[in-house]
Amino acid sequence: MASTAFELKDKTVFVAGHRGMVGSALMRRLAREQANLLTVSRSEVDLRDQAAVNAWFAAKRPQAVFLAAAKVGGIVA
């Protein structure tokens, strides 16, 4: 596999939106890179609540973050 500018092997990586199309693809790729994956459900932390996110980040201390979270609803939204 080609070398990356930022090695992710054994790094703690948070993926916001890990259940969506893009986020789930990221999760598969990061697993191949042997990253230690962190995820959080909406019921645990509301990503729209800055204080809650700051507290979660302080507790978990991810070394890298991928933001794939979005509000979706299709053509009706």
Side-chain angles (χ1 to χ4, degrees), residues 3 6 10 18 20 23 29 32-33 37 40 45 48-49 51 53 61-62 64-65 69 74:
S3 65
F6 182 75
D10 297 324
H18 67 281
R29 174 60 189 263
R32 287 196 311 264
E33 297 289 331
L37 299 172
V40 66
V45 176
R48 299 169 298 174
D49 180 348
V53 172
R61 304 199 39 90
V65 176

Side-chain angles (χ1 to χ4, degrees), residues 22-70:
V22 173
S24 62
L26 273 170
M27 292 288 288
R28 288 189 299 274
R29 174 60 189 263
L30 291 168
R32 287 196 311 264
E33 297 289 331
Q34 299 177 358
N36 299 319
L37 299 172
L38 282 176
T39 61
V40 66
S41 69
R42 186 178 304 144
S43 63
E44 293 174 285
V45 176
D46 183 348
L47 296 178
R48 299 169 298 174
D49 180 348
Q50 185 174 354
V53 172
N54 286 341
W56 189 85
F57 268 61
K60 301 296 183 180
R61 304 199 39 90
Q63 295 170 291
V65 176
F66 288 87
L67 180 56

